[in-house]
Amino acid sequence: MFTGIIEELGRISSIERHDTDARLTLRAPLSVSDARIGDSISVDGVCLTVAELLDDGFTADVMGETLRASALGDRAEGDPVNLERAMRLGDRLGGHIVQGHIDTTSEVLEVERFDAWRRIRFAIDPAHARLLVDKGSVAVSGVSLTVSAVSAVNGVDAVGSGGSATADGSPWFEVSLIPETLAATTLGDLGVGDRVNVETDILARHVARLASFAG
């Protein structure tokens, strides 16, 4: 389990690709300062297991399904990544409960820049759009964020909705990034067309599952 509060901006040192998987080597001095082999570290929101410890980083194996279902498959050597060690009981929960299990990926539709902050709009598929609510929580590339606006879903407007879906009918959601988030994570470098990992709120997923049995 994680909180979505990024501890360190790491960097991919190397990627060893195979037919059905890959091995990442990451520079992450803070993340490995108290790590052991087998520990979990969130890499851009994906929970990975430390396979080998290095002086200033670690290696992790990434299965083919993870490469397919997340944006890690897009990463290249030298790319920065958001890192967070697993939370400990007794720590302050500054963000929200994040499992490190990616639900889907989203593409950046718009980036609106202001003097000190930024608003970003992401496309989201309908199945996961219904799990996002205005002022609710979402993890984008491992970063715990508050949803600042959501589109209507299936023509039904929501409280706090920012408006209708895109021209092709696809829903979207927006987040607003404060200066600290822009400086401490990779989200400040996002541009239109970039793909990010999205994990919806675990509570919303459980409620949706229970509601599916109604009637």
PDB file of all heavy atoms in Angstrom, residues 153-166:
ATOM      1  N   VAL A 153     -21.214  11.550 -17.755  1.00  0.00           N
ATOM      2  CA  VAL A 153     -21.017  10.165 -18.163  1.00  0.00           C
ATOM      3  C   VAL A 153     -22.338   9.617 -18.680  1.00  0.00           C
ATOM      4  O   VAL A 153     -23.356   9.701 -17.999  1.00  0.00           O
ATOM      5  CB  VAL A 153     -20.515   9.301 -16.982  1.00  0.00           C
ATOM      6  CG1 VAL A 153     -20.347   7.859 -17.421  1.00  0.00           C
ATOM      7  CG2 VAL A 153     -19.206   9.849 -16.450  1.00  0.00           C
ATOM      8  N   ASN A 154     -22.327   9.105 -19.896  1.00  0.00           N
ATOM      9  CA  ASN A 154     -23.540   8.561 -20.520  1.00  0.00           C
ATOM     10  C   ASN A 154     -24.669   9.586 -20.548  1.00  0.00           C
ATOM     11  O   ASN A 154     -25.840   9.251 -20.376  1.00  0.00           O
ATOM     12  CB  ASN A 154     -24.001   7.290 -19.789  1.00  0.00           C
ATOM     13  CG  ASN A 154     -22.990   6.168 -19.906  1.00  0.00           C
ATOM     14  OD1 ASN A 154     -22.271   6.076 -20.898  1.00  0.00           O
ATOM     15  ND2 ASN A 154     -22.926   5.313 -18.900  1.00  0.00           N
ATOM     16  N   GLY A 155     -24.275  10.853 -20.723  1.00  0.00           N
ATOM     17  CA  GLY A 155     -25.275  11.897 -20.843  1.00  0.00           C
ATOM     18  C   GLY A 155     -25.831  12.383 -19.520  1.00  0.00           C
ATOM     19  O   GLY A 155     -26.654  13.294 -19.476  1.00  0.00           O
ATOM     20  N   VAL A 156     -25.414  11.785 -18.410  1.00  0.00           N
ATOM     21  CA  VAL A 156     -25.907  12.180 -17.099  1.00  0.00           C
ATOM     22  C   VAL A 156     -24.888  13.085 -16.441  1.00  0.00           C
ATOM     23  O   VAL A 156     -23.745  12.691 -16.215  1.00  0.00           O
ATOM     24  CB  VAL A 156     -26.158  10.936 -16.210  1.00  0.00           C
ATOM     25  CG1 VAL A 156     -26.652  11.363 -14.840  1.00  0.00           C
ATOM     26  CG2 VAL A 156     -27.154  10.011 -16.891  1.00  0.00           C
ATOM     27  N   ASP A 157     -25.301  14.314 -16.121  1.00  0.00           N
ATOM     28  CA  ASP A 157     -24.386  15.259 -15.514  1.00  0.00           C
ATOM     29  C   ASP A 157     -24.178  14.897 -14.049  1.00  0.00           C
ATOM     30  O   ASP A 157     -25.013  14.252 -13.417  1.00  0.00           O
ATOM     31  CB  ASP A 157     -24.943  16.682 -15.621  1.00  0.00           C
ATOM     32  CG  ASP A 157     -23.841  17.730 -15.596  1.00  0.00           C
ATOM     33  OD1 ASP A 157     -22.676  17.329 -15.496  1.00  0.00           O
ATOM     34  OD2 ASP A 157     -24.157  18.924 -15.678  1.00  0.00           O
ATOM     35  N   ALA A 158     -23.044  15.290 -13.516  1.00  0.00           N
ATOM     36  CA  ALA A 158     -22.728  15.005 -12.124  1.00  0.00           C
ATOM     37  C   ALA A 158     -22.546  16.301 -11.358  1.00  0.00           C
ATOM     38  O   ALA A 158     -22.236  17.339 -11.935  1.00  0.00           O
ATOM     39  CB  ALA A 158     -21.434  14.178 -12.040  1.00  0.00           C
ATOM     40  N   VAL A 159     -22.765  16.231 -10.056  1.00  0.00           N
ATOM     41  CA  VAL A 159     -22.527  17.402  -9.210  1.00  0.00           C
ATOM     42  C   VAL A 159     -21.068  17.812  -9.338  1.00  0.00           C
ATOM     43  O   VAL A 159     -20.165  16.994  -9.192  1.00  0.00           O
ATOM     44  CB  VAL A 159     -22.858  17.080  -7.738  1.00  0.00           C
ATOM     45  CG1 VAL A 159     -22.498  18.252  -6.850  1.00  0.00           C
ATOM     46  CG2 VAL A 159     -24.326  16.727  -7.591  1.00  0.00           C
ATOM     47  N   GLY A 160     -20.820  19.070  -9.660  1.00  0.00           N
ATOM     48  CA  GLY A 160     -19.451  19.528  -9.836  1.00  0.00           C
ATOM     49  C   GLY A 160     -18.882  19.213 -11.188  1.00  0.00           C
ATOM     50  O   GLY A 160     -17.694  19.385 -11.421  1.00  0.00           O
ATOM     51  N   SER A 161     -19.719  18.740 -12.111  1.00  0.00           N
ATOM     52  CA  SER A 161     -19.214  18.399 -13.435  1.00  0.00           C
ATOM     53  C   SER A 161     -18.704  19.632 -14.150  1.00  0.00           C
ATOM     54  O   SER A 161     -19.269  20.716 -14.040  1.00  0.00           O
ATOM     55  CB  SER A 161     -20.327  17.734 -14.264  1.00  0.00           C
ATOM     56  OG  SER A 161     -19.926  17.608 -15.597  1.00  0.00           O
ATOM     57  N   GLY A 162     -17.632  19.451 -14.907  1.00  0.00           N
ATOM     58  CA  GLY A 162     -17.087  20.555 -15.669  1.00  0.00           C
ATOM     59  C   GLY A 162     -17.717  20.689 -17.042  1.00  0.00           C
ATOM     60  O   GLY A 162     -17.363  21.573 -17.808  1.00  0.00           O
ATOM     61  N   GLY A 163     -18.635  19.798 -17.399  1.00  0.00           N
ATOM     62  CA  GLY A 163     -19.274  19.914 -18.703  1.00  0.00           C
ATOM     63  C   GLY A 163     -19.413  18.577 -19.390  1.00  0.00           C
ATOM     64  O   GLY A 163     -19.209  17.525 -18.788  1.00  0.00           O
ATOM     65  N   SER A 164     -19.763  18.619 -20.656  1.00  0.00           N
ATOM     66  CA  SER A 164     -20.057  17.405 -21.400  1.00  0.00           C
ATOM     67  C   SER A 164     -18.777  16.678 -21.796  1.00  0.00           C
ATOM     68  O   SER A 164     -17.669  17.167 -21.601  1.00  0.00           O
ATOM     69  CB  SER A 164     -20.858  17.754 -22.654  1.00  0.00           C
ATOM     70  OG  SER A 164     -20.106  18.610 -23.486  1.00  0.00           O
ATOM     71  N   ALA A 165     -18.968  15.508 -22.376  1.00  0.00           N
ATOM     72  CA  ALA A 165     -17.832  14.722 -22.835  1.00  0.00           C
ATOM     73  C   ALA A 165     -17.210  15.381 -24.061  1.00  0.00           C
ATOM     74  O   ALA A 165     -17.679  16.400 -24.553  1.00  0.00           O
ATOM     75  CB  ALA A 165     -18.302  13.297 -23.164  1.00  0.00           C
ATOM     76  N   THR A 166     -16.105  14.790 -24.539  1.00  0.00           N
ATOM     77  CA  THR A 166     -15.415  15.334 -25.700  1.00  0.00           C
ATOM     78  C   THR A 166     -16.277  15.173 -26.946  1.00  0.00           C
ATOM     79  O   THR A 166     -17.314  14.521 -26.930  1.00  0.00           O
ATOM     80  CB  THR A 166     -14.066  14.618 -25.902  1.00  0.00           C
ATOM     81  OG1 THR A 166     -14.307  13.223 -26.007  1.00  0.00           O
ATOM     82  CG2 THR A 166     -13.147  14.872 -24.721  1.00  0.00           C
TER      83      THR A 166
END
